[in-house]
Amino acid sequence: MSPTRGRSRLITTLRRLRLRWLRLTQPVLGPFRARWRRSLMVRTMTITGLVTGFIVLVAGVFILTSIGDDLYSSRKDQALLDSARATNAAQRQIDASDVTNRGGLSSLAASVRRTVQDTSSSQLVYLRRQPGQAPFSEAPESTTTNPMLADAVSTELSDAVAAAENPQHWQAVSFTSEDGTPSPGIIVASRLTFPTDAGTYDLFIGYDLADTQDSLSFVQRTLLITAAAMMAFIGILVWIMSRIAFHPIRAAADTSRRIAAGQAEARMPRMNDEHFDVLSDGFNDMADTLQARIDELDQLSEMQQRFVSDVSHELRTPLTTIRLASEVLQASPTGLDPGKQRAVEVLGAQVERFESLLTDLLEISRYDAGRVTLETEPTNLVSLANEVVASLQPLSKGLIEVRALGGYVPVDVDARRIRRIVSNLVGNAIEHGEGQAIVVTIDSNAAAIALSVRDWGVGMEEENVEHVFDRFWRADPSRKRTLGGTGLGLAIAQEDAAVHGGILEAWSRPGEGSNFRLTLPRGDGVTSYMSPLPLVPEGVTTEGDPKATGGWLRRPGRRIRKEGRK
């Protein structure tokens, strides 16, 4: 196998392991990652906890190591002194004896063992004739108080004693009791010289350090409990301090959220801290200034609305007089010369346009003032669309087609306002459709009914689509208009859709035309719904288009008075 293929296989394996690890840890670490990304308090507490835990761990390991080494060193020194004292006592006893027969030597070996037991703190004694000496049938080979000690003596320790470089040798071992429980220990080895030809014997004294291990375990448990209590205390302390430190920030966030929700009187409380109090005072001053500007704008907006409404009403009387005079001139039996007749026709057309503008201004002023009354009645949207298309077809150079995929069941709406929406959408398609065909599509589902108007005209850029429902806005002011208009049609259509709890949306792309979609809920109890028609037309590339993915629409909140038609 080539090195390149081996590296590729290794990378693939690592990726699989990483994906498997992410799947296993996602249920636990996923919520924590989300909290970590959006909460400064969680990051502060986590970092403080990790640093504190690391310090406690290092300190605990250092303390345990120091205590363990000290206990072990003290116990080892004690064992060496104890073994030296027992060895000297045993050697004095041997030197005072003059036995030569086997029975006497065996009794002497047993007596030496008892002496070691009596003069030392250990009951583990192993006396063994040193290997490699000339055989002597009268001398016993070994005697021990516990076979466990004989099994624990290693070859290295035996060789060190036989070398006779030092009077004492020791080795750390692990004793295994009859029930199989291991315990640490120390074996101290020295030499004893017996009389006549018995030779040299190795004396091994074992010291069981189980009590030292128990003491160290107790210290470990104590330190562990202390560390856990310290970590819990530090955690609580950090949590309390974080709550205190972040309280001003939470107060500022809560106050700004309340102000954004419309609670103009919300203000940030003082924190009894010189720095945070400066922040509170500055924030409150800013809120007061902002509220004053908002009140001024509200007053200006109210004055503007009242001015538009009053002017629109006041202009109706002279406009009616002018329209009647124009009609009288047009119906004059004596007739007019062609120049005057053309002037009278232009006057009549402009009077009609002026009257349409006043009507739109009055309608906008009603929406601004919140004085809108819906006169609902069961309406067949398919029939309504056919009527609108039939009235506007003569003004279009192309065919206007109605595709009714659904929507035949009547829905309770204000027919006059819905007809105005459809008229505005179809008229807008005629204006910008470049003489191409126009398709009006209607469909419905259990929760909503939708109508879309599609044209293949010049289309608009994305930034223009965002302003298409603004008042008096036009994508191309220099463009020649076929139907006239005031620039308020789509704005009024959006308001008409909103008072029904519906949504009017637009999609457009340069060179590919536009598509407007009206979606209305079926009844007042529907709060969210999915439009049965797509906003992006079929056959259009949707890569990178944010409007390509559909979603649930939420009913906009509107205060309206609703009346059924009598």
Side-chain angles (χ1 to χ4, degrees):
M1 184 174 61
S2 64
T4 304
R5 183 175 298 178
R7 285 195 300 270
S8 177
R9 182 172 297 179
L10 177 61
I11 293 173
T12 303
T13 303
L14 292 176
R15 287 177 178 173
R16 290 177 180 174
L17 292 175
R18 180 175 177 272
L19 290 176
R20 186 176 300 176
W21 168 257
L22 290 176
R23 292 193 196 101
L24 292 175
T25 59
Q26 183 63 26
V28 178
L29 297 181
F32 178 76
R33 289 196 191 100
R35 290 283 296 170
W36 173 272
R37 285 193 295 267
R38 67 173 184 264
S39 177
L40 178 61
M41 182 175 176
V42 170
R43 293 196 294 270
T44 302
M45 293 182 61
T46 303
I47 294 173
T48 304
L50 291 176
V51 172
T52 305
F54 178 75
I55 293 174
V56 170
L57 177 63
V58 172
V61 171
F62 175 75
I63 292 173
L64 283 177
T65 303
S66 300
I67 293 176
D69 291 344
D70 185 67
L71 285 175
Y72 187 80
S73 179
S74 299
R75 194 71 176 86
K76 182 197 70 175
D77 294 341
Q78 180 183 358
L80 291 176
L81 290 175
D82 187 82
S83 174
R85 184 174 57 254
T87 302
N88 291 333
Q91 187 62 54
R92 285 196 299 271
Q93 182 181 3
I94 294 172
D95 293 341
S97 174
D98 55 356
V99 296
T100 56
N101 58 11
R102 181 177 180 83
L105 289 174
S106 298
S107 299
L108 179 61
S111 177
V112 167
R113 189 189 66 188
R114 286 193 297 272
T115 301
V116 172
Q117 288 180 277
D118 294 338
T119 56
S120 70
S121 60
S122 173
Q123 297 299 312
L124 300 175
V125 180
Y126 177 35
L127 185 63
R128 184 188 66 183
R129 192 169 186 267
Q130 195 174 84
Q133 299 181 93
F136 186 66
S137 59
E138 300 296 328
E141 290 297 325
S142 65
T143 178
T144 181
T145 60
N146 194 324
M148 175 180 67
L149 179 60
D151 296 335
V153 174
S154 65
T155 305
E156 291 81 3
L157 184 60
S158 300
D159 294 341
V161 176
E165 294 179 357
N166 295 307
Q168 274 186 327
H169 298 273
W170 66 274
Q171 185 179 37
V173 296
S174 177
F175 295 127
T176 303
S177 61
E178 294 180 355
D179 58 358
T181 304
S183 61
I186 294 177
I187 296 179
V188 181
S190 55
R191 291 178 303 158
L192 295 176
T193 303
F194 273 65
T196 64
D197 295 327
T200 302
Y201 278 72
D202 295 333
L203 175 63
F204 301 96
I205 305 176
Y207 295 89
D208 193 350
L209 303 184
D211 54 345
T212 305
Q213 182 64 36
D214 292 341
S215 300
L216 187 59
S217 299
F218 174 75
V219 173
Q220 291 176 346
R221 289 193 300 270
T222 303
L223 285 177
L224 183 62
I225 294 173
T226 304
M230 185 182 299
M231 287 295 297
F233 175 75
I234 293 175
I236 295 173
L237 180 62
V238 170
W239 182 79
I240 294 174
M241 296 304 297
S242 299
R243 296 284 296 181
I244 295 174
F246 287 100
H247 177 66
I249 300 176
R250 290 195 303 272
D254 181 66
T255 304
S256 61
R257 184 167 51 249
R258 289 166 58 195
I259 292 177
Q263 300 181 23
E265 72 285 353
R267 293 295 181 269
M268 186 175 173
R270 295 177 65 86
M271 302 297 170
N272 296 325
D273 179 82
E274 55 178 343
H275 301 292
F276 283 120
D277 286 346
V278 171
L279 173 64
S280 299
D281 294 339
F283 186 92
N284 294 336
D285 291 341
M286 179 185 65
D288 292 337
T289 304
L290 181 63
Q291 186 59 41
R293 297 296 179 268
I294 292 174
D295 293 339
E296 292 177 4
L297 291 175
D298 287 342
Q299 292 176 3
L300 291 174
S301 177
E302 185 178 354
M303 292 173 60
Q304 178 187 8
Q305 295 171 12
R306 187 164 57 247
F307 172 78
V308 172
S309 179
D310 293 344
V311 169
S312 300
H313 279 92
E314 292 297 330
L315 288 177
R316 275 200 171 274
T317 300
L319 180 62
T320 303
T321 303
I322 296 173
R323 182 170 56 82
L324 290 175
S326 174
E327 292 175 356
V328 170
L329 290 175
Q330 290 179 1
S332 176
T334 59
L336 300 172
D337 59 76
K340 293 181 180 180
Q341 183 66 35
R342 177 58 183 165
V344 171
E345 291 176 358
V346 172
L347 176 63
Q350 295 302 317
V351 167
E352 290 180 0
R353 184 176 181 184
F354 193 14
E355 189 173 14
S356 175
L357 174 60
L358 286 179
T359 301
D360 290 346
L361 287 174
L362 284 172
E363 191 68 19
I364 285 291
S365 66
R366 292 191 189 98
Y367 277 116
D368 291 339
R371 298 191 301 268
V372 179
T373 301
L374 291 182
E375 297 179 357
T376 61
E377 60 178 336
T379 303
N380 188 312
L381 202 59
V382 177
S383 300
L384 185 147
N386 282 318
E387 294 174 4
V388 173
V389 168
S391 63
L392 295 178
Q393 180 65 71
L395 302 176
S396 175
K397 297 179 181 179
L399 176 65
I400 305 178
E401 179 186 357
V402 178
R403 296 179 182 175
L405 306 178
Y408 291 96
V409 178
V411 60
D412 287 336
V413 294
D414 189 329
R416 179 179 66 85
R417 297 180 186 276
I418 300 301
R419 183 177 286 105
R420 181 165 58 192
I421 295 174
V422 179
S423 298
N424 276 315
L425 297 182
V426 176
N428 187 71
I430 294 174
E431 268 313 325
H432 302 279
E434 298 292 317
Q436 301 292 326
I438 299 172
V439 178
V440 180
T441 308
I442 306 162
D443 202 356
S444 61
N445 55 30
I449 184 170
L451 179 144
S452 66
V453 179
R454 170 78 162 107
D455 69 75
W456 282 263
V458 294
M460 292 178 289
E461 297 287 348
E462 181 68 26
E463 58 270 15
N464 292 335
V465 177
E466 298 176 358
H467 300 284
V468 73
F469 296 108
D470 294 349
R471 299 177 184 181
F472 301 107
W473 184 88
R474 291 178 182 176
D476 185 4
S478 63
R479 182 182 176 83
K480 182 181 178 181
R481 300 182 64 83
T482 303
L483 302 179
T486 62
L488 294 173
L490 291 178
I492 295 175
Q494 189 179 48
E495 296 288 349
D496 286 337
V499 296
H500 285 87
I503 295 178
L504 183 60
E505 302 167 279
W507 171 90
S508 187
R509 187 177 292 176
E512 298 187 38
S514 304
N515 188 47
F516 287 80
R517 182 181 68 179
L518 169 67
T519 308
L520 300 173
R522 288 185 175 274
D524 295 334
V526 179
T527 57
S528 61
Y529 46 87
M530 179 76 75
S531 181
L533 292 176
L535 179 59
V536 180
E538 295 181 1
V540 176
T541 56
T542 60
E543 184 177 357
D545 194 336
K547 296 183 179 180
T549 55
W552 287 92
L553 307 176
R554 187 168 297 279
R555 185 187 188 105
R558 285 281 180 174
R559 290 186 179 180
I560 58 172
R561 186 172 59 185
K562 194 171 183 179
E563 297 179 355
R565 184 179 295 275
K566 298 182 180 179

